[in-house]
Amino acid sequence: MKQVLSGNEAIARGAWEAGVSFAVAYPGTPSTEILETVAASYKDDIYSQWSPNEKTAMEVGFGASVAGARTLVTMKHVGVNVAADPLFTMAYTGVGGGLVLVCADDPNLHSSQNEQDNRNYAKFVKMPLIEPSDSQEAKDFMAFAFDLSEKYDTPVMLRTTTRISHSKSIVEFGDRREPNKIGDLERNARKYTMLPGFARPKHPIIEDKLKAIAKVGSESCPLNRIEMGDTSVGIITSGISYQYAKEAMPKASFLKLGLTYPFPAELVKEFASKVDKVIVVEELDPFLEEQATLAGIEVDNGKDLFPICGELDPVMVANRLAGKAMNAVAPAPDLPIRPPVLCPGCSHRGVFTILKKLKVFVAGDIGCYTLGALPPLESMHTCLCMGGSITMAHGIAKVMGETYDRKNKVVAIIGDSTFFHSGVTGLIDMIWNDGNAVVIIQDNRITAMTGGQENPGTGHDLSGIESPQIDMEKLVVALGVKPANVRVVNSYNLKEVEDVMKEELDKPSPSVVITKEPCVLQFRIKEEPYRVDADTCTGCKVCIKVGCIALSINDEGDEPKAEIAAEFCTGCSVCAQVCKFDAIVK
Amino acid sequence: MKTTNILLAGVGGQGVLLASRILSEAALAAGLDIKQSEVHGMSQRGGSVMSHVRIGEEVHSPIVPEGECDILAGFEPLEGLRQAHAVKEGGVLLYSVDRINPSTVSAGFAQYPEDVEEQLKSFKCRTVAVPAVQYAEQVGNRRSANVVMVGVMSNFLEFSDDIWSQALTAAIPAKLLALNIAAFELGRKHI
Ligand SMILES: Cc1ncc(C[n+]2csc(CCOP(=O)(O)OP(=O)(O)O)c2C)c(N)n1
Ligand code: SF4
Ligand code: SF4
C-alpha cells in the first residue's frame, strides 16, 4: 500500500513496523504529530503517552526500554536540552529494548526560540545519528535505528528538520516486526546503576562501539550510498540538503549519508578519491565538514557557500552549487506583514491588556501567550525557555528589592502546560528563597501553541481518555503559597483582573493568580458577536489597542469609526470593556 | 514529464493545508510522484501560511524553487501578491478576491495596499480573480472557499474528473463531501 505521509506520520508508521510497543513524548513543533499519529493509528499495538516534560519523557521511555520494550521517545530540538541529563548517561548504561530518540530541529526558527543543530548532541552524547531525507526514508530508517540500538546496546538519535517532519511524500508500507517478548524483570546493577565504579569501565566500551559503528557506516550500511556520476565534483550530504543538491546537480556524484555519526570516514575517503573535488552541502553547523577535515580528507569550505544560519532552499543551492542564475523578479515592495496574533476572543488578551495598563515588568514564558510581547499589547519583556518566567521573575525581584514603584515590580506569566513542564520547580525556588513576585498562570485548559494537546491539568491523557487531574490551586498552596494569595480570576473580566492584580502586587509574599477560561480556538467557543454603534463611537481607537483582528477602523465615512467583523468576533467582550463610550454593544 | 510547481498562499485558518492535501491525493491517484511542504506552528494564529506542492515523475525538493512556480493560488489577495514574484513568466496566478486585514492593518500600523489587484495583474503571468467566498456561500458554507480554489486550479492540471473525485473523497470527511464537491465544481466552471 502507498500513502502520502508527512515525515512525522511516516516515523509513527516506521515505529509500528519496527515492533515498537511504547512511545512517549512532550509536544513541540515540528515533532508533535509523531505521537499524535501513534495514538490515533496504532493505539492497539503501541502504548503512548504525553509526559509533563522532555526529561520525564526520556526517563519514562528509558524505563520501558529497561523492561524490554522497543521504545520511541520524541521531542523538538530544544526538548533535548531538557532531556539531556538522562540521555548522556543512557549512552553509558545502554538499553534493554531498542530505544530511538526522534528529535526534530527547526532551522530558520519557524516556531522555536533558537536554531541549535542537534546533530552535535549525537557526538556529545556519543550515540549514533540517523538522518532521513524524505518520508519513505523516515519510515524505513526507523527499523534500522531500532536494530542498531539493540545490536550495539545504545540509544540512537533519528534527527529530522521541519522540512522533513512537515513535508509529505509517498510512502510504501511494510509489515510489523514481532514486538520484543517481555519476560521477568532482570536485575543488572552493573549495567543500569551508574555509580562511578560501574560507570568508569563503560566509557571505553562506548568508544569501541563508536568505532565499530563507524565501520558499519563505511562498509555495510544501506543508509549510506555512493551515487556515481560526473566525477568533476563529489557532493557529500544528508537530510533535506540531499534533495536540494540532487535537484540542482542531478548528474554530479553523491555520497548520500543516512548514518552520519559516528562519521564513516573510510567511506568518505573512498568517495573523495574518486572525484576531483569534494564539497559538503549541509544546513546549519559544518557538522560533517568538520569531521571530514579532522579525518584528513580535503574538502572545499562548504560554509563559504552555504550559511550557518537559517535554512537552505533549492534556489540557493542551485545558484551557489551549480551557478544557476537566480530568478530576477523582485517581490512586491512594502507589503504590510501578517504576523501571528492571539486569536479573536483569546483568553490571554484581557490579562495582557491589564498588565500593559499596570506598567509592570513581565517575565514571560513560551506558549500562545508569548504573542503578548508583540504590538499593540507589548506587555511581555522576557521569554527565554520553558519555565523560565517564574525563576527569572524571582531573580529580577531579588535584585530590585522591596519597591512600591509599579514599573519595577515583576510579574511572571506562564501557561498551564508550561507550568507543569518546569514552572513548578521554579515556584518552589521562589517560595523557598523568600521571593516576592506575582505569578499568573494562564490555564486555558490545553497546550494551545502546539495545536491542542492534553496536559496534567486537563483531566485527559494523550488518547483523550479521562485521567486524574492535577489540581493547580491545591498544588501551589501545598508548595507554600499562602491560601489568601492564591486567586482565581475570570480573564474576561478586566476590572476583576485589575483589582486582584493590584492587591497581589502590594503583598510582601509570592502570589499566584490563576485564570481558567479555555482556549477559544481549541474548544471552538463562539458566542453572539459584538458590534460597534456608529453613532456612539467617537473613533478614539482605544479598542484597537487590545489587538484583536476582528476589530478595525473604517476610514471610509466622514469620521473614522471602529468596526467589528462578525464572522471573527467570538463575543468575548474585552474590547467592549475598554471602550469609554459604551459604543461596543451586542 | 516536467515537474509542476504549485504554491498556495493564504492566512492561518483558511484551509490552505486541506487544499494542498486534495492536490497531493490527486497526484497519488494519478500514479505520479509528489512532494508537499508547509510550515505550521505560529502561522495557525492568523499569520501568513504557505504550502508548496510539486507533482511530477520524480520530485526531489519539497520546496518550489522561487521563479519556477507554474500555478500560484492566493487564498487572499495580499497573500497572493506577497508570493507573486515566485511565478514564472507565463504561469498562472489565481487569487480569491476576498480581503482579510492583517493585524498590522486593523491595528492601524499599516495600510492594506488599495491597488492590490492592479499590482497582481502587473506580473508577467495570467491572472484569474476568483470570488471564492461568494461561490462557497452559494453551496452553503463559507469555509469551502478553499475547495473552490482547488476547483479553479483543476483547470490547469491534467487530471481527469475521476481522479479529482477520488482525491476529494480521500481528503474530505464523508459528511462534508457533497457540499465540497459542489464547491469544487463551481470553481472548476469558473474558467
Ligand atoms: C523545551 C521545549 N519544549 C517544547 C516546546 C514547544 N512548546 C512551545 S509552547 C508549548 C506549550 C504551550 O502551552 P501552554 O503553556 O499551555 O500555553 P498556551 O499555548 O496554551 O497558551 C510548547 C510545548 C518548547 N518551546 N520548548
Ligand atoms: S490558540 Fe487558543 S490560546 Fe492560542 S491564541 Fe488562539 S485562543 Fe489564544
Ligand atoms: S468582543 Fe471585541 S475583542 Fe472580543 S472577539 Fe469580539 S471584537 Fe475581538
Side-chain angles (χ1 to χ4, degrees), chain B residues 18-19 21-22 25 144 146-147 150 164-181 183-184:
Chain B
L18 177 69
R21 167 102 200 274
I22 300 170
E25 293 292 347
S144 297
N146 56 345
V147 181
V150 179
W164 285 116
S165 135
Q166 285 182 46
L168 290 164
T169 312
I172 295 169
K175 66 175 200 282
L176 296 172
L177 187 59
L179 183 150
N180 279 295
I181 290 178
F184 177 86

mmCIF file of all heavy atoms in Angstrom, chain B residues 18-19 21-22 25 144 146-147 150 164-181 183-184:
data_model
loop_
_atom_site.group_PDB
_atom_site.id
_atom_site.type_symbol
_atom_site.label_atom_id
_atom_site.label_comp_id
_atom_site.label_asym_id
_atom_site.label_seq_id
_atom_site.Cartn_x
_atom_site.Cartn_y
_atom_site.Cartn_z
ATOM 1 N N LEU B 18 -5.680 21.801 3.694
ATOM 2 C CA LEU B 18 -6.620 20.830 3.111
ATOM 3 C C LEU B 18 -6.557 20.910 1.584
ATOM 4 O O LEU B 18 -6.559 19.884 0.900
ATOM 5 C CB LEU B 18 -8.055 21.082 3.594
ATOM 6 C CG LEU B 18 -9.074 20.137 2.939
ATOM 7 C CD1 LEU B 18 -8.876 18.703 3.423
ATOM 8 C CD2 LEU B 18 -10.513 20.571 3.171
ATOM 9 N N ALA B 19 -6.487 22.110 1.068
ATOM 10 C CA ALA B 19 -6.386 22.274 -0.388
ATOM 11 C C ALA B 19 -5.148 21.550 -0.924
ATOM 12 O O ALA B 19 -5.216 20.849 -1.936
ATOM 13 C CB ALA B 19 -6.342 23.759 -0.737
ATOM 14 N N ARG B 21 -3.682 19.051 0.421
ATOM 15 C CA ARG B 21 -3.915 17.609 0.581
ATOM 16 C C ARG B 21 -4.699 17.073 -0.616
ATOM 17 O O ARG B 21 -4.399 15.988 -1.136
ATOM 18 C CB ARG B 21 -4.664 17.406 1.909
ATOM 19 C CG ARG B 21 -5.279 16.071 2.142
ATOM 20 C CD ARG B 21 -4.422 15.213 3.092
ATOM 21 N NE ARG B 21 -4.751 13.793 2.934
ATOM 22 C CZ ARG B 21 -5.745 13.190 3.593
ATOM 23 N NH1 ARG B 21 -6.473 13.863 4.487
ATOM 24 N NH2 ARG B 21 -5.999 11.916 3.382
ATOM 25 N N ILE B 22 -5.707 17.817 -1.085
ATOM 26 C CA ILE B 22 -6.500 17.361 -2.235
ATOM 27 C C ILE B 22 -5.592 17.218 -3.456
ATOM 28 O O ILE B 22 -5.655 16.229 -4.188
ATOM 29 C CB ILE B 22 -7.669 18.327 -2.523
ATOM 30 C CG1 ILE B 22 -8.599 18.410 -1.302
ATOM 31 C CG2 ILE B 22 -8.465 17.882 -3.756
ATOM 32 C CD1 ILE B 22 -9.657 19.507 -1.384
ATOM 33 N N GLU B 25 -3.437 14.100 -3.093
ATOM 34 C CA GLU B 25 -4.199 12.869 -3.310
ATOM 35 C C GLU B 25 -4.447 12.655 -4.805
ATOM 36 O O GLU B 25 -4.435 11.526 -5.288
ATOM 37 C CB GLU B 25 -5.524 12.899 -2.537
ATOM 38 C CG GLU B 25 -5.370 12.858 -1.012
ATOM 39 C CD GLU B 25 -4.836 11.521 -0.477
ATOM 40 O OE1 GLU B 25 -4.801 10.534 -1.230
ATOM 41 O OE2 GLU B 25 -4.427 11.486 0.709
ATOM 42 N N SER B 144 -15.812 26.545 2.600
ATOM 43 C CA SER B 144 -15.416 25.762 1.423
ATOM 44 C C SER B 144 -14.723 26.602 0.361
ATOM 45 O O SER B 144 -14.445 26.101 -0.733
ATOM 46 C CB SER B 144 -16.639 25.093 0.798
ATOM 47 O OG SER B 144 -17.193 24.199 1.710
ATOM 48 N N ASN B 146 -11.780 27.327 0.152
ATOM 49 C CA ASN B 146 -10.517 26.673 -0.210
ATOM 50 C C ASN B 146 -10.734 25.628 -1.308
ATOM 51 O O ASN B 146 -9.926 25.497 -2.226
ATOM 52 C CB ASN B 146 -9.828 26.061 1.027
ATOM 53 C CG ASN B 146 -10.700 25.077 1.778
ATOM 54 O OD1 ASN B 146 -11.913 25.008 1.586
ATOM 55 N ND2 ASN B 146 -10.087 24.305 2.669
ATOM 56 N N VAL B 147 -11.835 24.906 -1.216
ATOM 57 C CA VAL B 147 -12.093 23.859 -2.214
ATOM 58 C C VAL B 147 -12.520 24.497 -3.546
ATOM 59 O O VAL B 147 -12.198 23.980 -4.619
ATOM 60 C CB VAL B 147 -13.139 22.849 -1.681
ATOM 61 C CG1 VAL B 147 -13.395 21.749 -2.701
ATOM 62 C CG2 VAL B 147 -12.646 22.229 -0.375
ATOM 63 N N VAL B 150 -9.366 25.082 -5.276
ATOM 64 C CA VAL B 150 -8.819 23.862 -5.892
ATOM 65 C C VAL B 150 -9.561 23.589 -7.200
ATOM 66 O O VAL B 150 -8.957 23.207 -8.209
ATOM 67 C CB VAL B 150 -8.926 22.644 -4.943
ATOM 68 C CG1 VAL B 150 -8.379 21.388 -5.618
ATOM 69 C CG2 VAL B 150 -8.174 22.904 -3.652
ATOM 70 N N TRP B 164 -10.034 13.572 -9.789
ATOM 71 C CA TRP B 164 -10.439 14.609 -8.832
ATOM 72 C C TRP B 164 -11.446 14.069 -7.839
ATOM 73 O O TRP B 164 -11.393 14.378 -6.652
ATOM 74 C CB TRP B 164 -11.001 15.845 -9.561
ATOM 75 C CG TRP B 164 -9.922 16.653 -10.200
ATOM 76 C CD1 TRP B 164 -9.745 16.876 -11.537
ATOM 77 C CD2 TRP B 164 -8.848 17.336 -9.528
ATOM 78 N NE1 TRP B 164 -8.622 17.642 -11.748
ATOM 79 C CE2 TRP B 164 -8.059 17.949 -10.541
ATOM 80 C CE3 TRP B 164 -8.467 17.476 -8.198
ATOM 81 C CZ2 TRP B 164 -6.914 18.696 -10.242
ATOM 82 C CZ3 TRP B 164 -7.332 18.228 -7.898
ATOM 83 C CH2 TRP B 164 -6.575 18.823 -8.916
ATOM 84 N N SER B 165 -12.354 13.266 -8.341
ATOM 85 C CA SER B 165 -13.366 12.745 -7.429
ATOM 86 C C SER B 165 -12.712 11.810 -6.396
ATOM 87 O O SER B 165 -13.031 11.856 -5.198
ATOM 88 C CB SER B 165 -14.480 12.103 -8.256
ATOM 89 O OG SER B 165 -14.853 10.886 -7.727
ATOM 90 N N GLN B 166 -11.742 11.003 -6.823
ATOM 91 C CA GLN B 166 -11.010 10.154 -5.863
ATOM 92 C C GLN B 166 -10.267 11.011 -4.837
ATOM 93 O O GLN B 166 -10.238 10.694 -3.647
ATOM 94 C CB GLN B 166 -9.964 9.313 -6.600
ATOM 95 C CG GLN B 166 -10.516 8.137 -7.378
ATOM 96 C CD GLN B 166 -9.365 7.356 -8.030
ATOM 97 O OE1 GLN B 166 -8.350 7.070 -7.408
ATOM 98 N NE2 GLN B 166 -9.518 7.032 -9.304
ATOM 99 N N ALA B 167 -9.668 12.106 -5.317
ATOM 100 C CA ALA B 167 -8.870 12.954 -4.432
ATOM 101 C C ALA B 167 -9.753 13.625 -3.384
ATOM 102 O O ALA B 167 -9.418 13.670 -2.197
ATOM 103 C CB ALA B 167 -8.118 14.006 -5.243
ATOM 104 N N LEU B 168 -10.906 14.135 -3.818
ATOM 105 C CA LEU B 168 -11.807 14.803 -2.872
ATOM 106 C C LEU B 168 -12.305 13.799 -1.833
ATOM 107 O O LEU B 168 -12.358 14.092 -0.638
ATOM 108 C CB LEU B 168 -12.996 15.427 -3.619
ATOM 109 C CG LEU B 168 -12.646 16.654 -4.483
ATOM 110 C CD1 LEU B 168 -13.767 16.959 -5.487
ATOM 111 C CD2 LEU B 168 -12.388 17.878 -3.604
ATOM 112 N N THR B 169 -12.630 12.598 -2.307
ATOM 113 C CA THR B 169 -13.139 11.574 -1.387
ATOM 114 C C THR B 169 -12.065 11.195 -0.364
ATOM 115 O O THR B 169 -12.367 10.985 0.816
ATOM 116 C CB THR B 169 -13.566 10.313 -2.178
ATOM 117 O OG1 THR B 169 -14.377 10.743 -3.279
ATOM 118 C CG2 THR B 169 -14.353 9.356 -1.318
ATOM 119 N N ALA B 170 -10.811 11.134 -0.811
ATOM 120 C CA ALA B 170 -9.744 10.746 0.114
ATOM 121 C C ALA B 170 -9.444 11.839 1.134
ATOM 122 O O ALA B 170 -9.088 11.550 2.277
ATOM 123 C CB ALA B 170 -8.481 10.409 -0.672
ATOM 124 N N ALA B 171 -9.600 13.106 0.728
ATOM 125 C CA ALA B 171 -9.142 14.190 1.602
ATOM 126 C C ALA B 171 -10.238 14.763 2.508
ATOM 127 O O ALA B 171 -9.928 15.395 3.511
ATOM 128 C CB ALA B 171 -8.535 15.309 0.747
ATOM 129 N N ILE B 172 -11.510 14.559 2.142
ATOM 130 C CA ILE B 172 -12.577 15.267 2.863
ATOM 131 C C ILE B 172 -13.478 14.281 3.606
ATOM 132 O O ILE B 172 -13.875 13.261 3.055
ATOM 133 C CB ILE B 172 -13.389 16.130 1.864
ATOM 134 C CG1 ILE B 172 -12.475 17.214 1.293
ATOM 135 C CG2 ILE B 172 -14.615 16.757 2.527
ATOM 136 C CD1 ILE B 172 -13.041 17.967 0.134
ATOM 137 N N PRO B 173 -13.789 14.577 4.868
ATOM 138 C CA PRO B 173 -14.666 13.694 5.645
ATOM 139 C C PRO B 173 -16.016 13.497 4.929
ATOM 140 O O PRO B 173 -16.555 14.439 4.338
ATOM 141 C CB PRO B 173 -14.877 14.430 6.961
ATOM 142 C CG PRO B 173 -13.838 15.486 7.022
ATOM 143 C CD PRO B 173 -13.374 15.758 5.633
ATOM 144 N N ALA B 174 -16.559 12.275 5.017
ATOM 145 C CA ALA B 174 -17.757 11.893 4.262
ATOM 146 C C ALA B 174 -18.917 12.889 4.423
ATOM 147 O O ALA B 174 -19.573 13.246 3.448
ATOM 148 C CB ALA B 174 -18.183 10.495 4.669
ATOM 149 N N LYS B 175 -19.125 13.377 5.649
ATOM 150 C CA LYS B 175 -20.324 14.184 5.829
ATOM 151 C C LYS B 175 -20.216 15.577 5.181
ATOM 152 O O LYS B 175 -21.223 16.251 4.980
ATOM 153 C CB LYS B 175 -20.734 14.267 7.305
ATOM 154 C CG LYS B 175 -19.786 15.009 8.228
ATOM 155 C CD LYS B 175 -20.446 15.091 9.630
ATOM 156 C CE LYS B 175 -19.862 16.177 10.475
ATOM 157 N NZ LYS B 175 -18.614 15.973 11.111
ATOM 158 N N LEU B 176 -19.009 15.986 4.851
ATOM 159 C CA LEU B 176 -18.845 17.298 4.198
ATOM 160 C C LEU B 176 -18.569 17.155 2.701
ATOM 161 O O LEU B 176 -18.359 18.138 1.990
ATOM 162 C CB LEU B 176 -17.684 18.059 4.847
ATOM 163 C CG LEU B 176 -17.881 18.434 6.311
ATOM 164 C CD1 LEU B 176 -16.597 19.016 6.895
ATOM 165 C CD2 LEU B 176 -19.016 19.449 6.462
ATOM 166 N N LEU B 177 -18.597 15.909 2.227
ATOM 167 C CA LEU B 177 -18.126 15.655 0.870
ATOM 168 C C LEU B 177 -19.021 16.292 -0.198
ATOM 169 O O LEU B 177 -18.534 17.016 -1.079
ATOM 170 C CB LEU B 177 -17.971 14.142 0.638
ATOM 171 C CG LEU B 177 -17.321 13.741 -0.676
ATOM 172 C CD1 LEU B 177 -15.920 14.340 -0.810
ATOM 173 C CD2 LEU B 177 -17.232 12.213 -0.799
ATOM 174 N N ALA B 178 -20.312 16.070 -0.101
ATOM 175 C CA ALA B 178 -21.233 16.530 -1.157
ATOM 176 C C ALA B 178 -21.118 18.044 -1.334
ATOM 177 O O ALA B 178 -20.984 18.565 -2.454
ATOM 178 C CB ALA B 178 -22.652 16.138 -0.800
ATOM 179 N N LEU B 179 -21.141 18.724 -0.213
ATOM 180 C CA LEU B 179 -21.045 20.180 -0.233
ATOM 181 C C LEU B 179 -19.745 20.652 -0.891
ATOM 182 O O LEU B 179 -19.721 21.576 -1.697
ATOM 183 C CB LEU B 179 -21.096 20.582 1.232
ATOM 184 C CG LEU B 179 -21.104 21.972 1.742
ATOM 185 C CD1 LEU B 179 -21.867 21.948 3.042
ATOM 186 C CD2 LEU B 179 -19.706 22.486 1.991
ATOM 187 N N ASN B 180 -18.650 19.951 -0.569
ATOM 188 C CA ASN B 180 -17.361 20.368 -1.112
ATOM 189 C C ASN B 180 -17.213 19.988 -2.585
ATOM 190 O O ASN B 180 -16.518 20.677 -3.322
ATOM 191 C CB ASN B 180 -16.219 19.797 -0.274
ATOM 192 C CG ASN B 180 -15.997 20.638 0.966
ATOM 193 O OD1 ASN B 180 -15.617 21.799 0.880
ATOM 194 N ND2 ASN B 180 -16.286 20.071 2.130
ATOM 195 N N ILE B 181 -17.863 18.914 -3.007
ATOM 196 C CA ILE B 181 -17.840 18.584 -4.434
ATOM 197 C C ILE B 181 -18.544 19.715 -5.193
ATOM 198 O O ILE B 181 -18.071 20.174 -6.235
ATOM 199 C CB ILE B 181 -18.498 17.209 -4.702
ATOM 200 C CG1 ILE B 181 -17.577 16.106 -4.148
ATOM 201 C CG2 ILE B 181 -18.758 17.002 -6.196
ATOM 202 C CD1 ILE B 181 -18.103 14.694 -4.302
ATOM 203 N N ALA B 183 -18.720 22.812 -4.249
ATOM 204 C CA ALA B 183 -17.803 23.963 -4.231
ATOM 205 C C ALA B 183 -16.719 23.788 -5.296
ATOM 206 O O ALA B 183 -16.380 24.721 -6.037
ATOM 207 C CB ALA B 183 -17.172 24.102 -2.846
ATOM 208 N N PHE B 184 -16.188 22.572 -5.374
ATOM 209 C CA PHE B 184 -15.155 22.258 -6.364
ATOM 210 C C PHE B 184 -15.687 22.511 -7.784
ATOM 211 O O PHE B 184 -15.021 23.142 -8.613
ATOM 212 C CB PHE B 184 -14.726 20.790 -6.200
ATOM 213 C CG PHE B 184 -13.711 20.322 -7.200
ATOM 214 C CD1 PHE B 184 -12.352 20.512 -6.974
ATOM 215 C CD2 PHE B 184 -14.102 19.679 -8.380
ATOM 216 C CE1 PHE B 184 -11.403 20.072 -7.893
ATOM 217 C CE2 PHE B 184 -13.164 19.243 -9.307
ATOM 218 C CZ PHE B 184 -11.816 19.440 -9.065
#
